[in-house]
C-alpha cells in the first residue's frame, strides 16, 4: 500500500546507558533573614555505573559570574541515591540565584545541574502586646521566634517589639508585619476597629485568649467581632490534664513541619487545663488545630487581604498551679513542638511562607507586590 515510500528506522537507545543525576532541590526556606542560613538538599544517583562524583554549590555573584561556595565528593552505586546537603549563609539582602551541579560530563547533562533562588531580607517587624510585666508575659513567644543568641548574631527572622495594652491605642501599626495580642483584656471599640482595618490591609493579627478576656461581652461586641472568629461562650476547664493539642490536617502551612512526626510528637506532654469555647463562627473561618476533646484550639479567619489567628488558650502563662496550659514548658519533655508551632504561626501571620521563588517549567510565577508600596507601574524583566 506504500509503493514508492521509503521507511527509515532509527535506534536511539543505548544497550548499556550510564548516567549520574541530581534529584530536585529541597530548600529549608526560600526567604531568610540577614545573617540566616538555608539548607539545600538533593540526592546523587547513578544508572549502570559506580564511582565517585563531586557535587558543587555555586551562587551567582553581583558581576553575574558563578562563585563556588562548597563541594562534596561521594561514592554512589547503581540504584542508590546518596544524600547531598549544603548550608548556605553569609548572603547580603536581596535576591540570590545559584545552582548545584555534578562535576564532569556524562551522556545526559540535563539532570546534572539544579537551580535555585532565595531572597534575603531584614527581620520581619512584629508587635507583641502583653500585660505587665510585659517582658515576663511575652518571654515564651519572643524567645521561641527570636532567641537571644540569634538576635545577638543578627540571625533572628523576627524583630519583636513588646508593649503593654495601655500603649496599644497610640502605637502606629503600619510599621509592623504582624501584631500579636497575648491574653488581651477588654479593649476599646476603636482599638478593635484599628486592628480589623490593619488586618484588612493585608497584615496578620494573632490573638491568644486567656484569663484576662473579661468582661466576656466586650469581646462579643460588633467591633471585636470584625476581627475574632466567633463569640466567646464559656471557659472549659479540663483540670485533669488529659486534654492537649491534637493536630490532624497537616496540609495547612502551619502544620506541615509536623507531618513527618505526626504520630510521635508528644503533644500529651503539654496539657491544656482551660480554654475558651467560641460560638457562631463567621463565614470563611476554620479550625487549624483542635484539642484532643474535639473543640477548636487554633482558628483562622480571613479579614480583607489579611489573616487572623485566634488561639483559645494563652501562650503567656507561667507554669504555676493556676496556669491554663503547659504548652511552652513541660516537666517531662523538651518544648520543641511549641518552638516549631510558634515559629510557624508567626511565619503565617507575616505572610513569609506564602512567597514562592522557585518554579518548575510551565508553572505560573506569582510575585506579591509590597503592601507598603504606592507604586502603580512595574516592569518585569527576565534573567539576562
Amino acid at each position: 500500500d506504500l509503493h514508492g515510500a521509503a521507511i527509515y528506522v532509527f535506534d536511539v537507545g543505548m544497550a548499556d546507558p550510564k548516567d549520574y543525576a541530581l534529584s530536585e532541590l529541597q530548600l529549608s526556606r526560600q526567604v531568610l533573614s540577614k545573617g540566616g542560613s538555608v539548607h539545600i538538599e538533593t540526592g546523587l544517583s547513578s544508572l549502570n555505573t559506580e564511582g565517585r562524583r563531586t557535587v558543587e554549590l555555586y551562587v551567582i555573584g553581583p558581576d553575574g559570574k558563578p562563585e563556588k561556595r562548597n563541594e562534596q565528593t561521594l561514592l554512589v552505586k547503581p540504584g542508590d541515591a546518596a544524600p547531598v546537603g549544603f548550608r548556605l549563609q553569609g548572603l547580603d539582602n536581596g535576591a540570590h540565584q545559584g545552582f548545584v551541579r555534578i562535576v564532569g560530563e556524562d551522556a545526559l547533562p540535563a539532570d546534572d545541574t539544579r537551580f535555585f533562588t532565595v531572597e534575603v531580607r531584614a527581620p520581619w517587624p512584629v508587635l507583641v502586646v502583653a500585660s505587665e510585666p510585659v517582658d515576663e508575659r511575652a518571654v515564651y513567644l519572643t524567645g521561641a521566634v527570636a532567641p537571644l543568641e540569634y538576635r545577638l548574631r543578627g540571625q533572628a527572622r523576627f524583630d519583636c517589639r513588646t508593649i503593654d495594652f495601655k500603649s496599644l491605642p497610640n502605637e502606629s501599626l503600619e510599621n509592623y508585619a504582624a501584631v500579636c495580642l497575648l491574653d488581651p483584656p477588654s479593649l476599646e471599640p476603636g482599638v478593635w476597629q484599628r486592628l480589623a482595618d490593619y488586618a484588612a490591609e493585608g497584615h496578620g493579627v494573632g490573638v491568644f485568649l486567656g484569663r484576662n478576656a473579661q468582661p466576656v461581652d466586650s469581646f462579643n461586641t460588633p467591633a471585636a467581632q470584625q476581627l475574632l472568629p466567633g463569640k466567646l461562650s464559656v471557659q472549659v476547664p479540663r483540670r485533669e490534664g488529659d486534654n492537649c493539642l491534637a493536630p490532624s490536617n497537616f496540609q495547612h502551612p502551619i502544620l506541615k513541619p509536623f507531618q513527618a512526626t505526626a504520630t510521635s510528637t508528644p503533644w500529651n506532654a503539654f496539657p491544656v487545663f482551660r480554654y475558651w469555647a467560641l460560638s457562631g463562627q463567621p463565614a470563611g473561618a476554620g479550625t487549624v488545630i483542635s484539642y484532643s476533646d474535639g473543640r477548636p484550639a487554633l482558628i483562622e479567619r480571613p479579614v480583607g487581604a489579611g489573616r487572623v489567628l485566634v488561639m483559645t488558650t494563652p501562650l503567656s502563662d507561667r507554669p504555676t498551679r493556676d496556669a491554663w496550659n503547659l504548652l511552652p514548658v513541660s516537666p517531662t519533655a523538651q518544648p520543641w513542638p511549641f518552638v516549631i508551632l510558634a515559629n510557624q504561626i508567626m511565619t503565617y501571620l507575616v505572610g513569609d511562607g506564602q512567597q514562592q521563588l522557585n518554579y518548575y517549567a510551565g508553572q505560573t510565577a506569582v510575585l506579591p507586590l509590597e503592601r507598603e508600596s504606592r507604586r502603580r507601574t512595574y516592569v518585569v524583566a527576565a534573567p539576562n
Side-chain angles (χ1 to χ4, degrees), residues 70-83:
N70 207 337
E71 69 174 37
Q72 290 186 28
T73 301
L74 305 98
L75 173 64
V76 61
K77 299 180 179 180
D80 291 345

Side-chain angles (χ1 to χ4, degrees), residues 273-296:
F273 304 117
R274 186 177 290 269
Y275 62 87
W276 282 100
L278 273 59
S279 63
Q281 287 190 5
T287 300
V288 179
I289 304 176
S290 296
Y291 295 113
S292 53
D293 66 7
R295 286 195 174 98

Side-chain angles (χ1 to χ4, degrees), residues 162-332:
T162 58
I163 64 171
D164 60 24
F165 283 101
K166 294 179 181 178
S167 304
L168 180 58
N170 299 319
E171 187 71 22
S172 178
L173 302 183
E174 59 266 18
N175 297 326
Y176 302 98
V179 175
C180 292
L181 309 181
L182 301 184
D183 194 2
S186 175
L187 301 177
E188 293 295 328
V191 176
W192 286 118
Q193 184 65 57
R194 286 185 62 216
L195 290 168
D197 292 342
Y198 168 80
E201 292 171 358
H203 301 93
V205 177
V207 182
F208 304 88
L209 299 170
R211 71 186 77 248
N212 291 328
Q214 302 289 346
V216 174
D217 289 345
S218 67
F219 286 78
N220 297 338
T221 61
Q225 287 300 304
Q226 291 186 73
L227 193 76
L228 301 177
K231 294 185 176 182
L232 275 64
S233 178
V234 295
Q235 294 181 16
V236 181
R238 297 297 301 267
R239 299 305 303 178
E240 58 272 21
D242 61 350
N243 193 39
C244 62
L245 299 183
S248 58
N249 179 17
F250 295 98
Q251 297 306 309
H252 194 283
I254 291 177
L255 293 175
K256 278 191 175 180
F258 295 102
Q259 195 167 20
T261 59
T263 60
S264 58
T265 303
W267 294 113
N268 57 355
F270 306 90
V272 175
F273 304 117
R274 186 177 290 269
Y275 62 87
W276 282 100
L278 273 59
S279 63
Q281 287 190 5
T287 300
V288 179
I289 304 176
S290 296
Y291 295 113
S292 53
D293 66 7
R295 286 195 174 98
L298 183 65
I299 308 171
E300 175 185 7
R301 179 187 180 182
V303 176
R307 65 210 68 83
V308 175
L309 290 174
V310 172
M311 199 161 198
T312 57
T313 194
L315 298 183
S316 51
D317 274 9
R318 308 294 290 180
T320 59
R321 292 180 59 87
D322 63 343
W324 278 38
N325 62 70
L326 294 180
L327 289 174
V329 295
S330 172
T332 61

Side-chain angles (χ1 to χ4, degrees), residues 31-99:
V31 180
L32 56 149
S33 60
K34 181 68 178 294
S37 63
V38 56
H39 293 271
I40 303 173
E41 297 181 352
T42 182
L44 174 64
S45 60
S46 69
L47 177 66
N48 295 329
T49 186
E50 176 180 342
R52 291 187 176 275
R53 279 293 182 271
T54 298
V55 181
E56 299 176 326
L57 170 68
Y58 283 85
V59 175
I60 306 300
D63 57 359
K65 297 180 181 180
E67 301 174 353
K68 184 176 176 180
R69 290 299 187 93
N70 207 337
E71 69 174 37
Q72 290 186 28
T73 301
L74 305 98
L75 173 64
V76 61
K77 299 180 179 180
D80 291 345
V84 183
F86 296 106
R87 183 168 178 253
L88 179 61
Q89 59 184 351
L91 299 174
D92 294 329
N93 283 358
H96 299 269
Q97 295 180 313
F99 57 88

